[in-house]
Amino acid sequence: MVITDKVELPTFEELEMQEVDLSTATLMAAAPHLGLRCEEVNNEFMLCRQETGDPRACLPLGKEVTSCTLTFFRHLKATCRDEFAQYANCIDKSSGDFSLSQCRNTQAVLDKCILDKMCVQRPDFGYFTRARVHETQRPRVEGEEGCCVEGAVPRLPDDAPRPRARFNSRYHYMTE
């Protein structure tokens, strides 16, 4: 990405935060419970990113998301370490593409442990794909959506004429 000297970048002190340095299998094993536990903070961060179009404006919220994740994994380690390690190891070793189908028994054991000790129930299938309204306390960003570049081509109005493609579609050539 090319930037000009007028763009102010955050300092290293503003960016400094402990990383969540975990493996893919570990993150996949905890993903549903982590997503549920940190949903509010993550939605706030994503709303900020969407409204401002500038990741620099959302650094504090990004730190909150990372902090929530670290807190969740510390609590998980303290309460269900063995069950979680067994499930993550199953995901890692059972297939080459991190398939979960071979690990349903260890998943059930982990889900029970997390429900009993952390009071977090595994969300049902499709929970994260449902549309939900997120209520925020942040003031709404005024102006056009996203980041605008000087001299950018303006969007077409919704009622603009949309003629058919001049030389047909590509699909016609792909089916022959």
Side-chain angles (χ1 to χ4, degrees):
M1 181 170 113
V2 179
I3 58 172
T4 65
D5 58 350
K6 296 177 186 172
V7 175
E8 293 197 25
L9 296 175
T11 63
F12 286 111
E13 290 79 27
E14 291 174 307
L15 296 174
E16 191 162 325
M17 179 73 187
Q18 182 182 354
E19 293 182 17
V20 182
D21 52 349
L22 298 172
S23 69
T24 302
T26 304
L27 291 171
M28 285 183 68
H33 300 95
L34 173 64
L36 197 60
R37 178 62 69 92
C38 299
E39 183 176 20
E40 287 297 316
V41 176
N42 192 47
N43 287 348
E44 189 71 27
F45 172 71
M46 294 308 293
L47 181 65
C48 177
R49 290 282 310 266
Q50 182 70 31
E51 285 183 347
T52 62
D54 185 5
R56 296 170 295 174
C58 306
L59 284 176
L61 291 171
K63 287 184 178 187
E64 286 182 39
V65 171
T66 304
S67 177
C68 181
T69 303
L70 289 169
T71 303
F72 173 79
F73 276 109
R74 286 183 186 121
H75 193 208
L76 183 64
K77 182 179 176 182
T79 56
C80 299
R81 180 185 192 129
D82 295 334
E83 293 88 347
F84 181 73
Q86 192 174 19
Y87 182 49
N89 188 42
C90 180
I91 292 172
D92 191 29
K93 306 288 188 209
S94 66
S95 69
D97 62 349
F98 300 108
S99 175
L100 304 176
S101 61
Q102 302 296 320
C103 305
R104 296 300 180 196
N105 292 335
T106 53
Q107 175 188 333
V109 172
L110 175 65
D111 289 345
K112 183 175 180 342
C113 180
I114 291 177
L115 180 61
D116 293 345
K117 296 181 180 176
M118 294 176 64
C119 298
V120 178
Q121 185 171 4
R122 184 181 191 88
D124 61 325
F125 187 74
Y127 173 81
F128 295 108
T129 62
R130 292 190 201 112
R132 289 183 290 284
V133 175
H134 175 72
E135 299 292 331
T136 181
Q137 302 301 320
R138 282 184 318 103
R140 184 176 177 93
V141 177
E142 297 299 326
E144 290 189 38
E145 287 188 23
C147 185
C148 295
V149 178
E150 274 186 42
V153 178
R155 295 185 60 164
L156 282 174
D158 290 335
D159 60 346
R162 299 185 191 317
R164 288 182 47 90
R166 191 168 167 197
F167 296 108
N168 239 343
S169 69
R170 286 189 221 160
Y171 184 73
H172 173 72
Y173 299 106
M174 292 190 304
T175 58
E176 290 183 348

